[in-house]
């Protein structure tokens, strides 16, 4: 397999790293002048949930590193019940790779982990992309019991990826069609796939969401200390993590640009993958101390 | 004067167009493959309030047309007391030029006029850029009496452009420094300047704001009928027209991307002129029926 062919989440082999905190599965591919870009994944998602239409174009300008946190896929250990616990695993992983700093793309739960990591260790990231996520103390975060989500999650006719298509995309023909294409791309990887997450993963991650949405101290004050350039992205019809959480992020982070997409929900980065990767690459390629790109 | 040198709001001569609705002052310069881009101006602003750092880079890919509405500068007539009245003038102007369709950049009051124009004549615009503006029925629109604005507007030590620097930019050293540079650029045009607006202009335009922020019928429902690709832009600390109006625009328009800038207010497009013109040009250059660019 040529290097070029391997620079894809369809074909890049899963690798493993042993650390004091356990064994982590990951994929690392691509090259270019940019700092490596760490991908931090959403609720119950494994390495196989990263859309190659998002990872692969970004891998043409830098290495991308997809991280499988503890208790997911073929990584060892248990899923922590706090975002802080997840951040410890991601930091141990970067330490194990010998990376002192990198860029990050945190999606949903992964965006919370990215925020916690930079609070715990401010030098860890140069630039942050926070997609469809929320600040600590945000609200309308992953309430799977609300009718707009429960009607899909509790529908016995919907299983696996069919649920994902419903809850990651808006209920319009155009967004659902983009969702179908997204699922098709996830299925293009045939071999070396990760085990699908079970209910114990979901349960621990839900506990982490409930801990994260508690307001502690002055609301959103912690964001004011994050000086790094940040790009905040969301679909305006996100039912899983309401878009107002992205408004709060971009209003409270001192150095953040916000980009929202129409006709889309939680998975706007997959629906508009050409636009998203163009914006993300332009943002990451900037050497400015300011977020606007 | 060479054509290249003239493609600037520093040097482009003011022209005049006679129509049945009156005589309008305007400037028209630049060229390129794009449709002409109509600029619609903010509260009390004349042709001289368009920052060359915004107009000139956009004039390299298309003609830009700066429009002076009735009762402003050297245009004839009186300022209408409704946005709808202003939209009639802008449509008469485009008819007079023989332009059946164009793109538009509406800033603040100008963004309201652009929305009204496309409601009145849906074919008039191909793509819209709405900066620091609000939908009909929005709120926190141009309340000059609120303390955060009144402290500058009622300060006898501040006059003319010094007020603009305070109220268009955030109260941080970086934003105020950008404001100073903006004022410097506005002053680079030495000759052929427009008369500055008097209190009767402000009074009529304030009446138009108060009529515009009334909720009539289902709130924001009119936006759902605007199918054209739209780019909504704002600074997150806009004290003149609160950023939540931009959130409402991007949530209710069916085909709108939202871009917000940090550390900036009403004049974010001038503060981040390099980023703004890059985004605007990319958006306008797209032939997609969808807003994401």
């Amino acid at each position: 397999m040529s290097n070029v062919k391997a620079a894809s989440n369809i074909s890049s082999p899963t690798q493993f790293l042993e650390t004091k905190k356990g064994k982590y599965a990951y994929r690392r591919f691509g090259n270019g002048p940019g700092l490596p870009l760490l991908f931090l994944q959403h609720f119950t998602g494994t390495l196989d949930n990263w859309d190659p239409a998002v990872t692969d174009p970004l891998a043409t300008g830098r290495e991308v590193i997809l991280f499988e946190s503890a208790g997911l896929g073929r990584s060892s250990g248990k899923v922590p019940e706090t975002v802080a616990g997840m951040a410890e695993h991601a930091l141990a992983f970067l330490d194990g790779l010998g990376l002192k700093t990198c860029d990050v793309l945190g999606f949903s739960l992964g965006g919370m982990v990215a925020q916690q990591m930079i609070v715990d260790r401010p030098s860890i990231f140069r630039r942050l992309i926070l997609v469809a996520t929320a600040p600590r103390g945000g609200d309308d975060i992953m309430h799977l019991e609300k009718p707009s989500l429960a009607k899909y999650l509790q529908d016995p006719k919907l299983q696996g990826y069919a649920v994902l298509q419903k809850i990651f995309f808006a209920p319009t023909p155009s967004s659902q069609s983009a969702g179908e294409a997204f699922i098709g791309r996830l299925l293009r990887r045939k071999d070396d796939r990760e085990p699908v997450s079970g209910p114990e993963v979901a349960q621990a991650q839900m506990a982490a969401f409930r801990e994260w949405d508690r307001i502690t101290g002055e609301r959103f004050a912690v964001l004011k200390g994050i000086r790094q350039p940040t790009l905040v992205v969301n679909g305006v019809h996100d039912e899983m993590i309401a878009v107002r959480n992205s408004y709060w992020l971009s209003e409270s982070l001192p150095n953040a640009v916000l980009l929202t997409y129409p006709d889309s929900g939680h998975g706007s980065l997959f629906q508009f993958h050409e636009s998203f990767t163009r914006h993300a690459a332009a943002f990451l390629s900037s050497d400015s101390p300011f977020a606007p790109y």
Side-chain angles (χ1 to χ4, degrees), chain A residues 28 35-36 38 65 90-103 117-118 121-127 228:
Chain A
R28 183 173 185 167
L35 277 185
L38 177 69
I65 302 174
L91 287 168
F93 170 70
L94 292 179
D95 289 341
L97 289 181
L99 277 178
K100 290 203 185 325
T101 190
C102 63
D103 292 332
M117 288 169 75
I118 202 165
R121 198 189 295 178
S123 63
I124 193 64
F125 298 132
R126 183 195 68 124
R127 290 192 156 233
Q228 278 89 342

Side-chain angles (χ1 to χ4, degrees), chain A residues 53-54 57 261 268-280:
Chain A
V54 166
Y261 286 115
S268 70
L269 75 171
F270 307 130
Q271 181 165 344
F272 296 109
H273 54 86
E274 288 181 7
S275 171
F276 172 75
T277 54
R278 194 179 307 127
H279 282 269

Side-chain angles (χ1 to χ4, degrees), chain A residues 123-228:
Chain A
S123 63
I124 193 64
F125 298 132
R126 183 195 68 124
R127 290 192 156 233
L128 296 86
I129 303 177
L130 301 177
V131 185
T133 189
R136 168 174 284 283
D139 74 16
D140 198 354
I141 297 172
M142 297 294 292
H143 283 285
L144 304 185
E145 73 284 5
K146 69 183 187 180
S148 59
L149 294 172
K151 68 178 170 184
Y152 301 123
L153 290 159
Q154 295 169 9
D155 182 343
K157 293 195 299 294
L158 293 174
Q159 296 291 332
Y161 281 149
V163 179
L164 209 57
Q165 179 180 329
K166 290 293 184 189
I167 65 179
F168 269 31
F169 296 84
T172 60
S174 44
S175 190
Q176 284 298 306
S177 167
E180 203 179 330
F182 161 70
I183 300 303
R185 292 192 298 270
L186 292 187
L187 292 170
R188 288 189 61 198
R189 185 182 181 98
K190 302 294 182 194
D191 305 312
D192 185 33
R193 289 181 69 94
E194 298 296 288
V196 171
S197 299
E200 72 292 352
V201 170
Q203 198 170 6
Q205 290 182 336
M206 287 306 302
F209 288 126
R210 293 293 74 80
E211 195 276 337
W212 184 254
D213 65 14
R214 285 197 341 236
I215 299 173
T216 59
E218 188 195 338
R219 201 178 189 193
F220 310 138
V222 71
L223 299 176
K224 300 200 187 301
I226 302 176
R227 306 293 313 181
Q228 278 89 342

Side-chain angles (χ1 to χ4, degrees), chain A residues 13 18 36 46 78 80 102 116 119 132 140 159 171 177 181 186 238-239 247-248 265 267:
Chain A
E18 291 280 358
T46 69
K78 287 193 168 181
C102 63
Q116 186 64 52
V119 167
D140 198 354
Q159 296 291 332
S177 167
L186 292 187
D238 189 340
E239 287 290 335
Y247 301 156
W248 284 323

